[in-house]
Each structure stands twice: as C-alpha cells, then as structure tokens.
Amino acid sequence: FCSALRLEFKDYPTLEFTQEYNLSNKPIQVDMLIIKKPENLHLANSIGEFFKAHNIIEYKSPTDHKYNHFAIDQTLAYGYYYKQKALSEDVTITLVVSKNHFNIIKWLNNHRKSYVMRHNGIYTVNEIFGLAFQICIIEELVEDEFNWITKLSNKLSINNIRDLVTNTKNLLNKSEFDYAKSIVDTVFKANEKLLSSERKEVEGMDVLEKIFAEELDKIRTESEVKGEIKGEAKGRIGLISQFISDYGIEKAKTMLKPSEKELEEALAML
C-alpha cells in the first residue's frame, strides 16, 4: 500500500513519507504511513486535497478479516497520540479500506454518523473533535485518477492486471519502478487463482517481463521516434544509456537487446 500511495503522489517530490512511527519514547511502534506536506504545496489529487501539515494514513487490506468498525477507534487513537507528540493542530486522518468483509459506510449510516461524500469513494467524516478525518473505499475510487490504489484487490480482472502492467511499463524512474514491482508482486499473489487459469507460471516480475515482451518492439520504436528520454538523452543510444542508469546493464541487455557498439556508446554517455 505504501508503494501504491507513493506512486499516486509521485509528482510531488517534496512530500515526506514515513512508513513506521514511534508514538512515544517507549517501544510503541505502529505500522502506519505518515505524510508530511510542506506549507503552500497544493495537491491536485482527490485524496491529497484533504491533507494538512501532518497526515496519518491507515490501510486495511481486502483480505483482513479482522477489519471492523473498531478500525475507526484505532485510527483516531493514533491520530490523537500523534497530534500530542507533534504539537500540531494540522493533523489529518485517512482510513483506506475495502468493503469486501465490512461496509464501513453502511455502519456509519446505521449508527447515524455524519459524513459527506466529496468524490467517488472519498468521504469526509464530520463531528470528529480536533481531527480532520476521511475514509477512502478502494472499490469506489476512480481508476483513472488512482491507478495504483485501485489495484490493491484480490478480485481483479485480467484487464485490471494488464492495466497494472501497462502503468508499470511506463515508469522510467528506478525507484518508482521498484515501488510498482512490489505492487505487482502483491497483486499477482492475491490474484493467483485468476492468473493460474490464464497462465501456467506466476512468478512476480518474471510474468511481468513476459507480458512486456509482447510490446517491447513497439516501446523501443516509440522511444526512438520520440527521440528524447527525460529531456536529456537523444535517440536509441540515449534510451539504452538511460535504461542502464535506471535499471542496470543486465536488464538493458535483456529488454532492449543492444548491439556491442550501441552498448559501448551508451556506456560512454554515463
């Protein structure tokens, strides 16, 4: 989930992510994501528009059978504890959940809790003292806006898998590719039954590279025609050089199949 959220906000490099946080000097460590947002940074993102200076993100997996309404209490407890330690009023809570096992919005309705749906799948919960609180339902989010979070499901279709692969394929930054790889590995394992019915082997990136292979010639051609990678390197040699820089020489050999002369020229550009 942390990798997915990093990719959703990859256009905002000044955001500071902390995946584990000690709530006190004693060993009370919780597995939650903290995002610190610089002042005056505007996030053009339906989830991020809610953020203030300090933002706590709690995620409940679709396969978490223990997830229930007490997740709200748990997340709020984290929020109040963090707020006291940070000595800040600018704290938000985001609870990202699936409705596979427990429909949290239905629970809010049954208990007459006040909320507003700001966007599809994104709800602001009212009457929470001292904290801004939003709930995000994975299955209701708009896929075109949230390419990564919406794939965190064990009920994907083959088309969903192909979309994930396409999104991963288009990442040239190595750290972003690594985040995507962790998502792909998780999604493949969660949807292994589906993939095993479609493919005989399901081994993380090995499968991904097989899917990539079908489109590699097209990718190479498009990259050469564009003639520009990250505004610096030109043409095919530049593509190979940039690919080596991001992913390493062995992957470049496998994916781009450069000649010895091309490889020599590409290495000289580094």
Side-chain angles (χ1 to χ4, degrees), residues 250-264:
E250 294 304 319
K251 185 171 285 293
K253 288 179 179 178
T254 301
M255 304 290 276
L256 300 179
K257 296 180 173 57
S259 67
E260 290 185 9
K261 183 178 179 181
E262 287 176 331
L263 192 58
E264 183 180 347

Side-chain angles (χ1 to χ4, degrees), residues 43-50 118-120 122 134 145-146:
L43 301 177
N45 175 299
S46 296
I47 293 176
E49 68 179 18
F50 190 76
R118 296 199 329 272
H119 305 283
N120 286 351
I122 303 175
Q134 67 176 347
E145 182 175 9
F146 298 103

Side-chain angles (χ1 to χ4, degrees), residues 238-250:
L239 168 66
I240 297 168
S241 179
Q242 187 65 54
F243 205 97
I244 292 172
S245 176
D246 287 341
Y247 307 116
I249 190 170
E250 294 304 319

Side-chain angles (χ1 to χ4, degrees), residues 20-45:
E20 293 181 336
Y21 190 80
N22 288 315
L23 286 175
S24 72
N25 293 329
K26 295 182 180 181
I28 305 178
Q29 188 176 64
V30 295
D31 187 16
M32 63 183 182
L33 180 64
I34 306 290
I35 300 179
K36 293 182 180 179
K37 184 179 80 69
E39 189 176 359
N40 300 323
L41 174 65
H42 173 69
L43 301 177
N45 175 299

